Amino acid sequence: NERRCLMNDLEVFEEKRRIVVEEAQKLDAERKAFTEGRTSFEHEVQSVGAMAAEIQKKSEELRLLHEQAAETKLELHTIRGAIQEERALHDNEFERLKTMQTMIEQQRLQLLQTENQIRVRGVEDELWVTTQAAFPAGQLGGLPPHWQQQAMAGLGGPSGG
């Protein structure tokens, strides 16, 4: 009987040992799965950390780019203002030069008119001198009477005739 009890105990013990071994194998499998999960999680954490660092870097680059764009916009506005001022100055100078050109053109025309008047007077003076040389005073007898009268009226000089 005792043997039978021992055999039963041994069978129970073997059954419990087999259950413990199975439990140990399950535990090892779970531990292995847990370790793999933990490793995977750590890789994901590192990946997320790297992504966050990259996002931070890109964010800083965007901030700098935005600042540069704002500075460039301000500079562009300043340059546009300077160009408008310069255009206004050029337009004013152009108008002043056009006015001067018009005045110079008027003066040139006046000068041409004066020159023509002087030439006409010079021709009249030359005719008068030639007439005096050809017909000394008092000797107009060879001319028809109406010419003698005109010549006598013109003896006062070119301003008289």
Side-chain angles (χ1 to χ4, degrees):
N1 243 348
E2 213 176 287
R3 223 175 172 192
R4 211 187 227 180
C5 261
L6 282 177
M7 282 298 274
N8 276 343
D9 284 344
L10 186 61
E11 282 180 15
V12 169
F13 176 76
E14 276 298 317
E15 183 64 28
K16 286 186 178 181
R17 189 183 70 76
R18 188 180 52 81
I19 291 174
V20 168
V21 168
E22 286 176 4
E23 289 291 323
Q25 287 175 346
K26 282 182 185 178
L27 189 60
D28 283 342
E30 286 178 3
R31 186 178 293 146
K32 186 177 179 182
F34 175 75
T35 303
E36 289 173 359
R38 189 167 130 198
T39 304
S40 174
F41 178 75
E42 287 174 356
H43 285 311
E44 287 180 22
V45 167
Q46 288 176 352
S47 175
V48 168
M51 236 194 306
E54 185 67 25
I55 289 172
Q56 183 66 27
K57 180 181 172 185
K58 293 291 183 182
S59 176
E60 184 64 22
E61 288 174 2
L62 273 175
R63 187 187 63 75
L64 291 174
L65 190 60
H66 185 268
E67 287 177 3
Q68 288 175 348
E71 289 172 4
T72 303
K73 187 176 181 181
L74 181 63
E75 186 177 341
L76 179 65
H77 182 69
T78 303
I79 289 172
R80 279 186 182 159
I83 288 173
Q84 286 177 346
E85 287 178 20
E86 191 150 331
R87 262 194 199 142
L89 289 174
H90 283 280
D91 289 346
N92 289 342
E93 182 69 12
F94 179 72
E95 289 299 321
R96 188 182 70 78
L97 290 174
K98 276 177 49 177
T99 304
M100 285 181 65
Q101 182 182 14
T102 303
M103 289 173 45
I104 289 171
E105 214 32 59
Q106 289 173 350
Q107 290 176 352
R108 188 178 71 79
L109 288 173
Q110 288 175 351
L111 184 61
L112 285 174
Q113 289 173 348
T114 304
E115 185 180 340
N116 286 338
Q117 288 174 356
I118 290 173
R119 280 191 188 141
V120 167
R121 284 186 189 152
V123 169
E124 287 175 353
D125 286 347
E126 191 175 304
L127 284 174
W128 174 248
V129 170
T130 304
T131 305
Q132 278 186 338
F135 305 106
Q139 298 181 356
L140 299 175
L143 293 176
H146 67 281
W147 283 8
Q148 286 180 8
Q149 289 173 356
Q150 284 178 353
M152 288 305 283
L155 283 178
S159 60

